[in-house]
C-alpha cells in the first residue's frame, strides 16, 4: 500500500494503492451514496473500519466512491475495484478505506481554521 498525503482543505487524499499513486475524495455526493449503500453515516463508517466491525461494502464502496469523487469515471473505478478489492484479501484494503473516509471527515489536520 504505502504512504498517503492530503491536499489542503479538500478532503482529497493521495494513496499508493493498486500499484500506483491514486487520488481519492469523498465529497458530499459520494458520502450520501456511501450512506445509502451501507446504511450508516460517515462517522459510523469510520468507526466500523477502525474497530474492525466493517462489512464488505464498507471497504469496497468507500474506495470505489473515493476514486469517483477524485475524478475517475465510474467504469474506471469499477475496473480497479474489481481487480484490487474483489480479487484480493479484504483486509488488504481496510486501511485505504479508513484513510479515505478520515480525509473526508477531517481534511488536513494541519490546516488553520
Amino acid at each position: 500500500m504505502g504512504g498517503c498525503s492530503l491536499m489542503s482543505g479538500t478532503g482529497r487524499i493521495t494513496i499508493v494503492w493498486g500499484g500506483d499513486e491514486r487520488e481519492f475524495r469523498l465529497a458530499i455526493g459520494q458520502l450520501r451514496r456511501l450512506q445509502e449503500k451501507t446504511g450508516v453515516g460517515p462517522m459510523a463508517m469510520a468507526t466500523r473500519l477502525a474497530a474492525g466491525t466493517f462489512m464488505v461494502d464498507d471497504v469496497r464502496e468507500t474506495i470505489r466512491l473515493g476514486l469517483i469523487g477524485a475524478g475517475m469515471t465510474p467504469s474506471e473505478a469499477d475496473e480497479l475495484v474489481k481487480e484490487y478489492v474483489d480479487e484480493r484479501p479484504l483486509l488488504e484494503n481496510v486501511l485505504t478505506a479508513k484513510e479515505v473516509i478520515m480525509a473526508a471527515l477531517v481534511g488536513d489536520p494541519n490546516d488553520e481554521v
Side-chain angles (χ1 to χ4, degrees):
M1 193 164 40
C4 68
S5 64
L6 279 168
M7 294 186 177
S8 178
T10 66
R12 186 178 296 265
I13 188 168
T14 302
I15 302 172
V16 176
W17 178 81
D20 205 355
E21 276 193 359
R22 303 191 193 275
E23 287 190 0
F24 297 83
R25 181 173 185 249
L26 293 171
I28 294 299
Q30 288 81 38
L31 288 171
R32 292 179 81 188
R33 284 194 287 279
L34 182 62
Q35 188 170 274
E36 290 168 4
K37 181 76 175 178
T38 62
V40 297
M43 275 304 293
M45 177 62 67
T47 300
R48 284 176 11 172
L49 289 167
T53 58
F54 54 85
M55 299 178 76
V56 171
D57 276 344
D58 295 351
V59 175
R60 186 181 198 285
E61 290 302 306
T62 299
I63 291 172
R64 188 180 77 80
L65 291 168
L67 290 166
I68 293 168
M72 192 171 283
T73 68
S75 60
E76 290 171 328
D78 288 345
E79 190 175 309
L80 285 173
V81 166
K82 282 180 186 176
E83 183 174 355
Y84 294 109
V85 178
D86 295 354
E87 301 299 325
R88 305 288 311 155
L90 187 60
L91 288 178
E92 284 184 11
N93 290 289
V94 173
L95 182 57
T96 298
K98 182 180 164 193
E99 290 173 346
V100 171
I101 195 78
M102 290 306 295
L105 291 170
V106 180
D108 188 341
N110 297 315
D111 274 354
E112 290 185 33
V113 179

